[in-house]
Amino acid sequence: MKTLKALFGVSAALAVSLLATSALGQTYPERTITMVVPFSAGGPTDTVTRLVAEAMSKDLGQQIVVENVGGAGGTLGAGRVASADPDGYTLLLHHIGMATSATLYRKLAYDTLNAFEYVGLVTDVPMTIVARKDLEPTDLKGLIDYMKANKDTVTVANAGIGAASHLCGMLLMSAMETQFVTVPYKGTGPAMTDLLGGQVDVMCDQTTNTTKQIQGGTIKAYAVTSPARLDNLPDVPTAEEAGLSGFQVGIWHGIYAPKGTPADVTERLSKSLQVALKDPNVVARFAELGTAPSAEEEATPAALKAKLEGEITRWKPVIEAAGQYAD
């Protein structure tokens, strides 16, 4: 009899828990949601986040407030979300650094793969190989020869360890089989400012940060890292066309929630993301920035999880070969 009562008690508790979870999913969201960007305001990932957050807010009927929690290559913001209440009211929009941090940081406060629930992929932003406008080489082959010949003096800017520009720079070093002088900054803005001013020579960064400067002629573009040329930069060849075989890299972005967030809530967020990525303003603004929204089948928890797992595997040997760690 005692055993039966105990089993009944466990079953009742489980039923109450399931009902509560279901009710949460049905009523969610009831208040403002915070979406953390683990980088400074005004940067490429911040731009993407604010566009998506605005569109998702319209669909969800509640405001999504974007909060910038920068530092430590995006790991501070990610760590904050990992430790937040799993109720769907604190989210993270992170880029490829979510995958690379698993190797760049040998001591993380969270388990990259297991500390989060997955919402979906947002976009995959191409990179550009650019330089100060008065740098001598006129094409990518010339730039590569120039960098190899001047590897001890040519300077390559990035927005700090773990930033998209840092990762692209490491991949460029790997592809060229040459180490060169890197200059880390505290954010994309200062790095671009010094490139514009001629204080540094080269940078490899997202189209969301370089397109306007390329179009305005204030920096020199050598290649895009996409499989095909971009509509808004038709005169810039792909790295493959320009002679850097196999050099393709995109800075993908995804949305995460703390581990334990109810499945009904993450599913609601995923559906909202899919709606947001079809919003005319999002589509148009992404196009201006040289990217496109993820397809509906990619804006899902399963697709984002698979992407993260694959990218951790892809970047681990690149980072280890470069020997550049953040701790």
Side-chain angles (χ1 to χ4, degrees):
M1 183 64 69
K2 288 183 179 180
T3 301
L4 287 174
K5 286 182 177 179
L7 287 173
F8 178 77
V10 170
S11 298
L14 180 59
V16 169
S17 176
L18 289 173
L19 285 171
T21 299
S22 178
L24 176 60
Q26 290 172 8
T27 60
Y28 174 87
E30 296 181 303
R31 54 185 170 87
T32 299
I33 299 167
T34 297
M35 187 174 286
V36 171
V37 181
F39 302 104
S40 59
T45 301
D46 180 67
T47 299
V48 167
T49 303
R50 291 179 187 278
L51 288 168
V52 172
E54 181 182 4
M56 287 181 67
S57 294
K58 290 191 293 185
D59 177 69
L60 292 169
Q62 292 287 350
Q63 185 180 11
I64 297 179
V65 175
V66 176
E67 183 177 355
N68 298 91
V69 183
T75 61
L76 291 183
R80 173 172 171 176
V81 175
S83 62
D85 290 337
D87 55 11
Y89 290 98
T90 305
L91 307 175
L92 171 71
L93 197 151
H94 204 342
H95 65 29
I96 190 175
M98 190 72 163
T100 57
S101 62
T103 305
L104 276 172
Y105 291 81
R106 290 163 289 190
K107 294 181 181 179
L108 275 180
Y110 54 89
D111 182 333
T112 306
L113 281 173
N114 300 308
F116 302 90
E117 302 293 349
Y118 302 88
V119 175
L121 286 160
V122 175
T123 187
D124 195 340
V125 182
M127 304 291 284
T128 51
I129 300 172
V130 297
R132 54 182 170 84
K133 65 179 182 180
D134 57 349
L135 198 67
E136 296 173 14
T138 58
D139 57 23
L140 184 60
K141 183 181 183 305
L143 177 66
I144 292 172
D145 291 341
Y146 177 86
M147 292 178 72
K148 286 183 175 181
N150 299 277
K151 63 181 182 180
D152 294 329
T153 57
V154 69
T155 51
V156 181
N158 65 60
I161 290 181
S165 49
H166 171 239
L167 301 175
C168 189
M170 281 197 299
L171 199 63
L172 187 60
M173 282 195 290
S174 176
M176 291 172 53
E177 299 181 339
T178 303
Q179 297 286 321
F180 36 72
V181 179
T182 59
V183 183
Y185 288 81
K186 293 183 178 179
T188 302
M192 179 56 73
T193 296
D194 274 10
L195 186 69
L196 290 167
Q199 282 76 42
V200 288
D201 300 313
V202 179
M203 191 171 177
C204 183
D205 204 8
Q206 302 176 65
T207 55
T208 46
N209 186 47
T210 61
T211 296
K212 289 184 179 180
Q213 304 294 351
I214 294 170
Q215 292 172 335
T218 54
I219 58 176
K220 185 180 290 187
Y222 288 97
V224 294
T225 65
S226 50
R229 294 195 184 200
L230 304 178
D231 290 342
N232 61 341
L233 295 172
D235 296 329
V236 181
T238 67
E240 187 82 28
E241 285 179 312
L244 196 57
S245 181
F247 192 82
Q248 291 184 11
V249 57
I251 303 302
W252 54 272
H253 298 69
I255 296 178
Y256 306 81
K259 188 71 173 181
T261 301
D264 284 356
V265 172
T266 55
E267 183 63 24
R268 176 70 183 95
L269 288 166
S270 182
K271 294 297 183 185
S272 181
L273 173 61
Q274 292 166 17
V275 171
L277 294 180
K278 295 174 185 175
D279 183 279
N281 181 59
V282 171
V283 174
R285 289 286 289 115
F286 274 23
E288 290 174 7
L289 296 169
T291 188
S294 294
E296 185 172 318
E297 61 270 20
E298 295 176 335
T300 64
L304 176 55
K305 184 178 182 181
K307 183 74 170 181
L308 180 61
E309 290 173 339
E311 288 286 278
I312 288 175
T313 300
R314 177 194 181 194
W315 282 92
K316 183 177 173 66
V318 174
I319 294 167
E320 291 178 340
Q324 294 185 10
Y325 297 98
D327 55 11

